[in-house]
Amino acid sequence: SSGINAEYGAYLEKKSTCARARPPEQQILGAGFYKLESTKPLFLNNKILSIHNMYLYHCFAETLKILKLRQPISLFSKYNLSDRKPTLLINSFPSSDFISRSTSIWNDIAPIFKLIDFSIKIGSLKKQLEKALFQMQHREN
């Protein structure tokens, strides 16, 4: 019985020192501890792309592979290539599926690299794309 009371007393003592149980004015860390800080320096120092830019990178790279290698044929056949410009994709109707999104991303990014056909090496274009996205991500506004 006294062992249970001692454990209960230790529990109450621990609970009273817990941050949740203390009023805000008795907090040791203060409001400044909980400030948000920018992740931009962290991403810059470690050469990390943001989630948005990683999505653009992978979507563009996969689209390039599909268009260059024409594989898998089931996906390649869903793309509409322009008769006027060999690297321009025509988006038949906007939707949220991969073909529509990747067509839009392709048409936004491909002109930057001045692609005239699909003969470029995939690896070299991926390196250029990663570098361009990283620079765009860390450009000062």
Side-chain angles (χ1 to χ4, degrees):
S1 146
S2 64
I4 293 174
N5 286 337
E7 286 180 22
Y8 184 68
Y11 169 76
L12 287 177
E13 184 180 326
K14 184 176 180 180
K15 184 178 179 190
S16 68
T17 61
C18 180
R20 284 179 278 131
R22 280 184 264 148
E25 61 274 358
Q26 292 178 357
Q27 296 291 327
I28 296 171
L29 297 175
F33 179 78
Y34 299 101
K35 277 193 309 190
L36 292 176
E37 62 180 277
S38 175
T39 57
K40 202 167 190 176
L42 177 69
F43 280 56
L44 179 62
N45 294 338
N46 295 300
K47 297 189 177 179
I48 300 170
L49 287 174
S50 67
I51 295 295
H52 174 73
N53 286 331
M54 285 181 67
Y55 176 77
L56 294 176
Y57 172 83
H58 286 290
C59 195
F60 186 83
E62 290 305 312
T63 305
L64 174 64
K65 289 179 197 176
I66 292 167
L67 295 172
K68 180 180 173 116
L69 305 173
R70 298 177 183 255
Q71 291 180 352
I73 195 69
S74 59
L75 284 177
F76 177 75
S77 64
K78 294 186 184 233
Y79 286 103
N80 296 322
L81 291 166
S82 170
D83 294 330
R84 190 172 48 91
K85 292 182 179 177
T87 60
L88 180 68
L89 297 177
I90 299 169
N91 202 353
S92 52
F93 57 92
S95 70
S96 62
D97 67 353
F98 176 76
I99 301 300
S100 181
R101 285 184 178 181
S102 63
T103 296
S104 178
I105 290 168
W106 177 267
N107 288 335
D108 288 342
I109 296 175
I112 295 170
F113 297 106
K114 298 179 174 94
L115 299 176
I116 54 172
D117 59 18
F118 299 113
S119 63
I120 190 166
K121 291 184 178 179
I122 295 171
S124 67
L125 187 64
K126 285 171 67 175
K127 285 223 180 265
Q128 291 175 26
L129 175 62
E130 182 178 15
K131 185 178 176 183
L133 288 172
F134 188 74
Q135 287 174 347
M136 181 185 68
Q137 175 176 302
H138 295 290
R139 184 178 14 188
E140 293 295 323
N141 293 336

